Short mmCIF file of all heavy atoms in Angstrom, two decimals:
data_model
loop_
_atom_site.label_atom_id
_atom_site.label_comp_id
_atom_site.label_asym_id
_atom_site.label_seq_id
_atom_site.Cartn_x
_atom_site.Cartn_y
_atom_site.Cartn_z
N MET A 1047 -48.21 23.84 -0.12
CA MET A 1047 -47.56 23.43 -1.38
C MET A 1047 -47.78 21.94 -1.64
O MET A 1047 -47.79 21.13 -0.71
CB MET A 1047 -46.04 23.67 -1.29
CG MET A 1047 -45.67 25.11 -1.26
SD MET A 1047 -45.88 25.83 -2.90
CE MET A 1047 -45.86 27.56 -2.45
N ALA A 1048 -47.86 21.59 -2.93
CA ALA A 1048 -47.88 20.16 -3.30
C ALA A 1048 -46.46 19.63 -3.23
O ALA A 1048 -45.49 20.40 -3.35
CB ALA A 1048 -48.42 20.02 -4.72
N ARG A 1049 -46.34 18.32 -3.04
CA ARG A 1049 -44.99 17.74 -2.89
C ARG A 1049 -44.10 18.01 -4.10
O ARG A 1049 -42.91 18.25 -3.95
CB ARG A 1049 -45.08 16.24 -2.61
CG ARG A 1049 -45.84 15.46 -3.66
CD ARG A 1049 -45.92 13.99 -3.32
NE ARG A 1049 -46.95 13.69 -2.32
CZ ARG A 1049 -47.00 12.57 -1.62
NH1 ARG A 1049 -46.09 11.64 -1.78
NH2 ARG A 1049 -47.96 12.35 -0.77
N HIS A 1050 -44.70 18.02 -5.32
CA HIS A 1050 -43.85 18.22 -6.51
C HIS A 1050 -43.39 19.66 -6.66
O HIS A 1050 -42.58 19.98 -7.51
CB HIS A 1050 -44.56 17.72 -7.79
CG HIS A 1050 -45.83 18.47 -8.09
ND1 HIS A 1050 -47.07 18.00 -7.72
CD2 HIS A 1050 -46.02 19.65 -8.70
CE1 HIS A 1050 -47.98 18.87 -8.11
NE2 HIS A 1050 -47.37 19.87 -8.70
N ASN A 1051 -43.92 20.54 -5.81
CA ASN A 1051 -43.47 21.94 -5.83
C ASN A 1051 -42.30 22.19 -4.86
O ASN A 1051 -41.82 23.32 -4.76
CB ASN A 1051 -44.61 22.89 -5.45
CG ASN A 1051 -45.71 22.93 -6.46
OD1 ASN A 1051 -46.88 22.88 -6.13
ND2 ASN A 1051 -45.33 23.03 -7.73
N CYS A 1052 -41.91 21.14 -4.13
CA CYS A 1052 -40.92 21.34 -3.06
C CYS A 1052 -39.57 20.72 -3.39
O CYS A 1052 -39.50 19.64 -3.97
CB CYS A 1052 -41.42 20.70 -1.76
SG CYS A 1052 -42.95 21.39 -1.16
N VAL A 1053 -38.52 21.39 -2.96
CA VAL A 1053 -37.18 20.80 -3.00
C VAL A 1053 -36.63 20.85 -1.58
O VAL A 1053 -36.87 21.79 -0.83
CB VAL A 1053 -36.27 21.53 -4.02
CG1 VAL A 1053 -35.99 22.96 -3.61
CG2 VAL A 1053 -34.95 20.80 -4.20
N VAL A 1054 -35.96 19.76 -1.20
CA VAL A 1054 -35.45 19.61 0.17
C VAL A 1054 -33.92 19.79 0.18
O VAL A 1054 -33.24 19.30 -0.72
CB VAL A 1054 -35.81 18.20 0.70
CG1 VAL A 1054 -35.08 17.89 2.01
CG2 VAL A 1054 -37.33 18.07 0.88
N PHE A 1055 -33.41 20.48 1.19
CA PHE A 1055 -31.96 20.57 1.43
C PHE A 1055 -31.65 19.70 2.65
O PHE A 1055 -32.18 19.97 3.74
CB PHE A 1055 -31.55 22.01 1.74
CG PHE A 1055 -31.52 22.92 0.54
CD1 PHE A 1055 -32.68 23.46 0.02
CD2 PHE A 1055 -30.30 23.27 -0.04
CE1 PHE A 1055 -32.64 24.30 -1.09
CE2 PHE A 1055 -30.25 24.12 -1.14
CZ PHE A 1055 -31.42 24.63 -1.67
N GLU A 1056 -30.81 18.70 2.48
CA GLU A 1056 -30.52 17.73 3.56
C GLU A 1056 -29.05 17.31 3.57
O GLU A 1056 -28.44 17.19 2.51
CB GLU A 1056 -31.34 16.45 3.35
CG GLU A 1056 -32.48 16.24 4.30
CD GLU A 1056 -32.10 16.01 5.75
OE1 GLU A 1056 -30.92 15.78 6.05
OE2 GLU A 1056 -33.00 16.04 6.60
N ASP A 1057 -28.52 17.06 4.77
CA ASP A 1057 -27.14 16.58 4.86
C ASP A 1057 -27.06 15.10 5.27
O ASP A 1057 -25.99 14.50 5.16
CB ASP A 1057 -26.33 17.40 5.87
CG ASP A 1057 -26.77 17.15 7.29
OD1 ASP A 1057 -27.99 17.18 7.55
OD2 ASP A 1057 -25.90 16.94 8.16
N ALA A 1058 -28.17 14.54 5.78
CA ALA A 1058 -28.11 13.17 6.33
C ALA A 1058 -28.75 12.18 5.35
O ALA A 1058 -29.82 12.46 4.80
CB ALA A 1058 -28.83 13.11 7.67
N PRO A 1059 -28.12 11.02 5.13
CA PRO A 1059 -28.71 10.02 4.23
C PRO A 1059 -30.17 9.71 4.58
O PRO A 1059 -31.02 9.60 3.69
CB PRO A 1059 -27.81 8.80 4.41
CG PRO A 1059 -26.47 9.39 4.79
CD PRO A 1059 -26.79 10.60 5.63
N ALA A 1060 -30.50 9.61 5.89
CA ALA A 1060 -31.89 9.30 6.26
C ALA A 1060 -32.83 10.43 5.84
O ALA A 1060 -33.99 10.19 5.48
CB ALA A 1060 -31.99 9.08 7.77
N GLY A 1061 -32.35 11.67 5.86
CA GLY A 1061 -33.16 12.82 5.45
C GLY A 1061 -33.40 12.81 3.95
O GLY A 1061 -34.48 13.18 3.48
N ILE A 1062 -32.39 12.38 3.21
CA ILE A 1062 -32.53 12.32 1.74
C ILE A 1062 -33.52 11.21 1.38
O ILE A 1062 -34.41 11.40 0.54
CB ILE A 1062 -31.15 12.11 1.08
CG1 ILE A 1062 -30.33 13.40 1.29
CG2 ILE A 1062 -31.29 11.80 -0.41
CD1 ILE A 1062 -28.88 13.29 0.99
N THR A 1063 -33.43 10.08 2.07
CA THR A 1063 -34.40 8.99 1.85
C THR A 1063 -35.81 9.51 2.16
O THR A 1063 -36.76 9.23 1.42
CB THR A 1063 -34.07 7.80 2.78
OG1 THR A 1063 -32.72 7.42 2.55
CG2 THR A 1063 -34.98 6.62 2.51
N ALA A 1064 -35.95 10.29 3.23
CA ALA A 1064 -37.26 10.83 3.62
C ALA A 1064 -37.80 11.77 2.54
O ALA A 1064 -38.98 11.71 2.18
CB ALA A 1064 -37.13 11.58 4.95
#
Side-chain angles (χ1 to χ4, degrees):
M1047 291 287 163
R1049 57 181 79 198
H1050 62 263
N1051 293 135
C1052 299
V1053 65
V1054 169
F1055 285 79
E1056 252 294 348
D1057 69 313
I1062 292 167
T1063 305

